[in-house]
Amino acid sequence: MEFVISEMEREPIDFDLELAPGAVDLGEEAEQQGPLATSGSAEVIHEHRGPKDIVADIRLRGSFRGLFQVPCARCVEPVSIPLAADFDLIFRPAAADAEAAERSITAPETEIGYYLNDSLALEDVLREQVLLSLPVRTLCKPDCKGLCPRCGINRNCQTCSCQVGPSDLRWTALAGLRDRIEFKN
Ligand SMILES: [Zn+2]
Ligand SMILES: [Zn+2]
């Protein structure tokens, strides 16, 4: 969904949508499962910087909720996590701050986003909001045993006969190779 400045100048745009997986490109970090529900409104806020210098900012307020899949940090099995968050964001035309940015590098406005070509895509905003709300580290269970550093099996579902001690780690790569050779014979 595209919020176009000229349309929002007439009246704020309300939205209430369910986006199918794939509509929001989450890259490699997460996979959407089922619909991503989002609702809110977008409006233009005029910033008066001078008698003839009026900047049209977009204020986007809303929320989203959905189910996402991310890899377990230890065993890389997919883990489903529900995410939901509210947002209240300001987007400025990309050209409006070009000069200002050169003048004051330390502007405390790091929270401001930018839009190009008189419109803002809801999907782009949602991608950022979803990625921001992902936990830093997800485990499939608190005591996930992870992968064996020697043979690579998932130690939650299988037991291997590798014995990995601190003194053994140095030989891990070599021993793994030996195991595979022995296995073939
Ligand atoms: Zn795990
Ligand atoms: Zn093993």
Side-chain angles (χ1 to χ4, degrees), residues 96-129:
D97 281 351
E99 261 181 69
E102 280 170 29
R103 266 185 273 132
S104 62
I105 296 161
T106 53
E109 295 177 315
T110 50
E111 294 305 311
I112 287 190
Y114 294 93
Y115 68 88
L116 282 168
N117 304 327
D118 298 322
S119 72
L120 177 69
L122 176 62
E123 290 79 3
D124 291 345
V125 177
L126 287 172
R127 176 184 53 226
E128 199 173 314
Q129 293 302 306

Side-chain angles (χ1 to χ4, degrees), residues 131-152:
L131 294 179
L132 279 173
S133 60
L134 284 176
V136 178
R137 183 179 156 86
T138 303
L139 293 178
C140 61
K141 52 185 179 180
D143 60 345
C144 170
K145 297 191 189 87
L147 303 176
C148 171
R150 253 199 189 182
C151 69

Side-chain angles (χ1 to χ4, degrees), residues 3-176:
F3 301 112
V4 181
I5 286 287
S6 57
E7 289 170 21
M8 286 182 291
E9 295 272 16
R10 286 196 289 274
E11 59 177 345
I13 296 174
D14 294 329
F15 59 94
D16 190 352
L17 301 168
E18 289 206 334
L19 300 172
V24 177
D25 177 12
L26 297 170
E28 304 274 295
E29 287 189 60
E31 196 178 310
Q32 182 186 325
Q33 294 185 300
L36 170 59
T38 180
S39 63
S41 70
E43 62 185 318
V44 172
I45 293 177
H46 290 118
E47 239 187 289
H48 294 262
R49 292 185 171 183
K52 286 183 179 174
D53 189 5
I54 299 168
V55 175
D57 291 343
I58 299 173
R59 183 175 187 188
L60 182 65
R61 278 177 285 188
S63 62
F64 76 86
R65 82 193 129 75
L67 192 62
F68 299 86
Q69 213 171 53
V70 298
C72 169
R74 284 188 199 149
C75 72
V76 302
E77 283 296 310
V79 187
S80 288
I81 45 169
L83 293 178
D86 296 328
F87 49 86
D88 185 349
L89 308 161
I90 298 283
F91 296 87
R92 208 169 258 168
D97 281 351
E99 261 181 69
E102 280 170 29
R103 266 185 273 132
S104 62
I105 296 161
T106 53
E109 295 177 315
T110 50
E111 294 305 311
I112 287 190
Y114 294 93
Y115 68 88
L116 282 168
N117 304 327
D118 298 322
S119 72
L120 177 69
L122 176 62
E123 290 79 3
D124 291 345
V125 177
L126 287 172
R127 176 184 53 226
E128 199 173 314
Q129 293 302 306
V130 168
L131 294 179
L132 279 173
S133 60
L134 284 176
V136 178
R137 183 179 156 86
T138 303
L139 293 178
C140 61
K141 52 185 179 180
D143 60 345
C144 170
K145 297 191 189 87
L147 303 176
C148 171
R150 253 199 189 182
C151 69
I153 65 149
N154 183 339
R155 294 195 287 195
N156 297 306
C157 16
Q158 277 175 283
T159 311
C160 60
S161 52
C162 307
Q163 285 171 352
V164 182
S167 62
D168 202 29
L169 283 172
R170 222 165 7 134
W171 300 102
T172 297
L174 195 60

